[in-house]
Amino acid sequence: QVQLVESGGGLVQAGGSLRLSCAASGSIFSIDVMGWYRQAPGKQREHFASITRGGATNYVGSVKGRFTISRDNAKNMEYLQMNSLQPEDTGVYYCTLLQGGRNYWGQGTQVTVSS
């Protein structure tokens, strides 16, 4: 089994920054893709960032230019630097990883951006 634990969420004012971390542990042998999803209140969970083992990144939607995803393969860690946060970024943020054709999820961390 693989466990993912997010940290770094919290309350921040609009225009501020937060850095989320995600630690993977357990049966780790070769992580293919790591990514982030978020779920705003009353909305479906949505994917917005991913990074391959080689470091290629992909961003979706309004986070482009504001959020940066990164990973440390040696430490099995994933990070999300979030700048210029806006109230619409509020939600529960989940890290994910793809290994051996199977997706794994963290429990989520709350990010709240006040106006």
Side-chain angles (χ1 to χ4, degrees), residues 38-41 86-93 110-114:
R38 66 184 179 184
Q39 187 166 18
Q86 300 301 315
E88 51 266 33
D89 295 314
T90 294
V92 179
Y93 283 65
Q110 177 70 43
V111 171
T112 302
V113 185
S114 63

Side-chain angles (χ1 to χ4, degrees), residues 48 59-69 81-84:
F48 64 87
Y59 301 94
V60 180
S62 63
V63 308
K64 291 180 182 179
R66 299 188 298 124
F67 291 9
T68 303
I69 188 173
Q81 177 66 42
M82 305 186 292
N83 299 327
S84 302

Side-chain angles (χ1 to χ4, degrees), residues 5 22 25 40-41 44 48 54 73 81 83 94 104 111:
V5 178
C22 177
S25 62
Q44 289 189 334
F48 64 87
N73 293 329
Q81 177 66 42
N83 299 327
Y94 300 88
Y104 296 89
V111 171

Side-chain angles (χ1 to χ4, degrees), residues 67-87:
F67 291 9
T68 303
I69 188 173
S70 61
R71 63 189 281 180
D72 185 329
N73 293 329
K75 296 181 179 180
N76 296 325
M77 292 289 296
E78 177 187 17
Y79 307 97
L80 184 70
Q81 177 66 42
M82 305 186 292
N83 299 327
S84 302
L85 283 161
Q86 300 301 315

Side-chain angles (χ1 to χ4, degrees), residues 50-64:
S50 61
I51 183 168
T52 68
R53 189 189 312 161
T57 58
N58 183 62
Y59 301 94
V60 180
S62 63
V63 308
K64 291 180 182 179

Side-chain angles (χ1 to χ4, degrees), residues 33-45:
V33 181
M34 303 187 84
W36 290 93
Y37 284 68
R38 66 184 179 184
Q39 187 166 18
K43 296 187 177 181
Q44 289 189 334
R45 192 174 299 186

